[in-house]
Amino acid sequence: MRPPERRPGTLVLADGEVFEGEVAGAPPPGGVTAGEVVFNTVMCGYQEVITDPSYAGQIITFTYPHIGNYGTCDADFESRRPFCRGIIVRDLVSAPSSWRAGAGLEEFLARRGLSCLTGVDTRRLTRHIRSQGAMVGAFGTAAEADLRAAAAAEPGTDGVDLVASVTCERPYLRATVRAGGRAPWRVTVVDFGVKTSILARLARIAHVEVVPAGWGAAAILARRPHGVLLSNGPGDPAAVRGAGEVIEGLLGEVPVFGICLGHQLLGAALGAETYKLPFGHHGGNHPVRHVATGAVEITSQNHNFCVADGGGAGTEVTHLNLNDGTVEGLRSLEVPAFGVQHHPEAGPGPRDSDYLFAAFDSWLAELHGAEADGAPFETAAASDAPPGAER
């Protein structure tokens, strides 16, 4: 498929700031693509970023100047399709070079209905977002007045339940890949927008069943999991309908591990407040200190909201962000539950925090011991499906 010819385009932010470039990829519907504009600092892994469901409702600005150098590959999807609204880059590479490439990024975008604004001064845009905070905007080939109106009408991510647009429609199983052929645990993943790299990493230690975010605690516990993972996902944790009731029904009944949005939702269930960061954390180089050991981990992050504190007396902060002191991890002192704000599965990013999956494995062994029977989930309530196929 040959990408459409590039046309002059414009980005208009909600505060009136204007950036010029060219529109590539898929033509914007009606000449307009609108969403919350954020920036990501990764130097590679752009396909994983674009296909991460946590970007639902957002337009991603890449700070690295050349995006698309190595094309795209089917193995690098984090979900069945992109959920972001579009991307903004300095230079969209038209001639990728990699033996893994199945298609160029521009062709990838065109096939999946995503627009890109290229040729933008992304350094200026990033500095503006850092000083003014993440804000909604609109880009495309439409007249500037129309883009300005679209930006004014865009609701952004505050108070919007974006999880409803990314969660799976029905349960499915993830094949177990543990060495030796035996995975002693059954782990249920509550899909708030789960990445396939989380499922792949979890499948090394467990039989994995993914269930929709709307499943109740009783339905999850009826499947007799040894543990539950609350996945990453997009948007405002306070807007995710029913999540609090589900998590409260699980706490004390089964061990719970939360990642990113799952960590925020767990924190809220444990009594902590959540709030929106000025421009979020999006990148693969955020330093995090493990409080217990003092060790510093370089982490992959993608979130706009955060846990304000460690909750009440029954919780303990386990990790802190060294850039701004925000909470990166917490655990309950009363029930088996812990969560981290960063992404231990990386995808893309450093693997300094990969030990958290091994810690979850050891934790389940400590709590369940001989109860582990190695049996997978029964298939009656789930469809066997490739990762992300039900999202």
Side-chain angles (χ1 to χ4, degrees), residues 219-269:
I220 293 172
L221 294 173
R223 300 289 286 159
R224 299 178 54 245
H226 294 103
V228 171
L229 185 139
L230 308 174
S231 85
N232 66 292
D236 186 346
V240 183
R241 292 187 295 270
E245 292 81 357
V246 173
I247 297 170
E248 288 170 7
L250 296 172
L251 291 175
E253 300 293 333
V254 65
V256 175
F257 175 22
I259 293 177
C260 199
L261 178 63
H263 155 79
Q264 297 164 18
L265 293 169
L266 174 62

Side-chain angles (χ1 to χ4, degrees), residues 354-366:
D354 182 74
Y355 70 90
L356 289 165
F357 289 99
F360 188 41
D361 188 12
S362 299
W363 193 37
L364 292 176
E366 179 182 343

Side-chain angles (χ1 to χ4, degrees), residues 39-41 279-289 296-303 320-324 326 328 342 350 352-353:
F39 64 86
N40 190 300
T41 60
F279 48 82
H281 297 164
H282 309 278
N285 58 349
H286 289 251
V288 168
R289 179 166 62 87
V296 176
E297 307 161 25
I298 304 302
T299 67
S300 175
Q301 304 209 5
N302 175 23
H303 57 99
L320 289 169
N321 189 301
L322 292 182
N323 285 337
D324 57 12
T326 53
E328 287 285 343
H342 48 284
D352 296 22
S353 303

Side-chain angles (χ1 to χ4, degrees), residues 67-311:
I67 298 296
N69 302 49
Y70 52 86
T72 61
C73 173
D74 287 348
D76 293 340
F77 275 81
E78 288 291 354
S79 60
R80 67 176 174 87
R81 68 171 179 84
F83 288 94
C84 66
R85 299 283 178 83
I87 68 171
I88 299 172
V89 302
R90 178 67 184 92
D91 179 21
L92 181 62
V93 176
S94 58
S97 177
S98 172
W99 64 271
R100 296 178 74 243
L105 179 56
E106 192 166 0
E107 179 183 347
F108 171 94
L109 296 171
R111 284 181 173 178
R112 286 157 184 83
L114 275 183
S115 298
C116 168
L117 189 64
T118 183
V120 174
D121 184 348
T122 51
R123 181 183 291 272
R124 174 182 156 227
L125 175 55
T126 299
R127 288 173 65 89
H128 187 73
I129 294 172
R130 281 181 60 90
S131 63
Q132 302 301 316
M135 67 183 74
V136 296
F139 76 82
T141 55
E144 184 177 319
D146 294 332
L147 294 171
R148 195 177 302 276
E154 171 60 35
T157 60
D158 297 29
V160 180
D161 183 6
L162 292 167
V163 167
S165 68
V166 301
T167 189
C168 59
E169 295 180 1
R170 60 184 185 274
Y172 64 93
L173 302 179
R174 179 63 159 85
T176 302
V177 295
R178 183 165 180 155
R182 180 177 182 272
W185 316 122
R186 290 184 298 275
V187 173
T188 297
V189 175
V190 182
D191 180 15
F192 297 116
V194 68
K195 295 166 58 180
T196 58
S197 55
I198 289 179
L199 300 181
R201 185 61 185 85
L202 197 59
R204 299 181 196 173
I205 64 170
H207 303 292
V208 179
E209 180 176 45
V210 185
V211 301
W215 262 40
I220 293 172
L221 294 173
R223 300 289 286 159
R224 299 178 54 245
H226 294 103
V228 171
L229 185 139
L230 308 174
S231 85
N232 66 292
D236 186 346
V240 183
R241 292 187 295 270
E245 292 81 357
V246 173
I247 297 170
E248 288 170 7
L250 296 172
L251 291 175
E253 300 293 333
V254 65
V256 175
F257 175 22
I259 293 177
C260 199
L261 178 63
H263 155 79
Q264 297 164 18
L265 293 169
L266 174 62
L270 292 172
E273 298 291 328
T274 59
Y275 68 102
K276 190 171 185 178
L277 294 163
F279 48 82
H281 297 164
H282 309 278
N285 58 349
H286 289 251
V288 168
R289 179 166 62 87
H290 188 195
V291 175
T293 65
V296 176
E297 307 161 25
I298 304 302
T299 67
S300 175
Q301 304 209 5
N302 175 23
H303 57 99
N304 272 73
F305 291 81
C306 188
V307 174
D309 52 53

